Amino acid sequence: MPVRRLGAAGPEVSALGLGCMGMSALYGEADRSESLATLHAALDAGITLLDTGDFYGMGHNELLIAEALRTAPPAAREKALTSVKFGALRAPDGSWLGYDGRPAAVKNFLAHSLQRLGTDHIDIYRLSRVDPDVPIEETVGAIAEAVQAGHVRHIGLSEAGPETIRRAAAVAPIADLQIEYSLISRGIEEEILPLCRELGIGITAYGVLSRGLLSGHWSADRRLAPGDFRAAVPRFDGEHLNRNLALVEELRTVAAGHGLSVAQTAIAWVLAQGEDIVPLIGARRRDRLSEALGALDARLGADGLAAVERAVPAGAASGDRYPAHQMAHLDSERRRPTAPEES
């Protein structure tokens, strides 16, 4: 397993990380035994970065990871690193209540995560969405205190915009920014990615297969399970879906020419965008994990990468990556107002 470093101040991790959310929440019911088997298979393959959120299944995901690590071989367990998002507020019915980045809340969330994970530290800790009511300096400052106390090793950000990134980095070293990045979600390329490189901040890219849309396994007639949040995501709806699947078919042609699957090609493209980018693979099953790992052996070359981008040009995706009410919570998507045209 090749390795990459998350930013100038971050840890060395496997070139692919495992995003564990789907094992507990938001994609419908998951098979617990298969989830544990997939976690073990990932560790056996050399994946060291396990990404979760304390609100995934209201703690279920952290408990699942704790069980997987507890039952893994000692060598794999010792190499594993946990990346945890916090701050999302949820009700008993699963509804979303906002975000809390207050320093006292940071300490509270952290205490519960440490208990559920059965560990004395978390390797990378980050606010899941920027709290508009709390200066980012206060939130990052509280995590920095946890670093000093030994409860956290590194500080991360999630879906933060340029101004927030600069302000956070002025408080303490930031290892990485976790943000959606894929062939059809390339918004970070204009300003956020160059800024992170200027500041020595790595990228952990989630959604590299756009929640299955770029997997090559999706079809227009697929029925979603109850509780699958993709039913509310514009890119999976109606004509948006048809247009996006047409892009996937163009990508399939390129992938076949290189002896790769669509998913492997999409992951390989993200891997090729820089050694400072670590894609997170949201596999819930061992067969999907195995397919994703094949991307590490892909050799697209300059011509192949150009062919991929011709098949799926920047800006070609149809529909937003989240429903409107969730887009409003993304600090990374805030657009600075443009100056009015002079008359």
Side-chain angles (χ1 to χ4, degrees), residues 16 181-183 207-218 247-256 258-272 279-283 287-298 300 305 308 312:
L16 291 178
Y181 187 43
S182 73
L183 272 168
V208 293
L209 296 181
S210 197
R211 300 166 185 82
L213 191 55
L214 287 175
S215 68
H217 304 296
W218 204 273
L247 295 173
V248 173
E249 291 311 306
E250 294 292 329
L251 184 60
R252 193 186 304 276
T253 299
V254 177
H258 287 82
L260 300 170
S261 71
V262 173
Q264 289 168 341
T265 306
I267 297 167
W269 179 87
V270 177
L271 281 165
L280 297 174
I281 307 304
D287 58 338
R288 294 290 192 251
L289 172 66
S290 179
E291 179 184 12
L293 289 170
L296 293 168
D297 298 321
L300 290 172
L305 291 170
V308 168
V312 187

Side-chain angles (χ1 to χ4, degrees), residues 35-47:
S35 295
L36 287 168
T38 301
L39 279 159
H40 284 150
L43 293 169
D44 289 344
I47 287 179

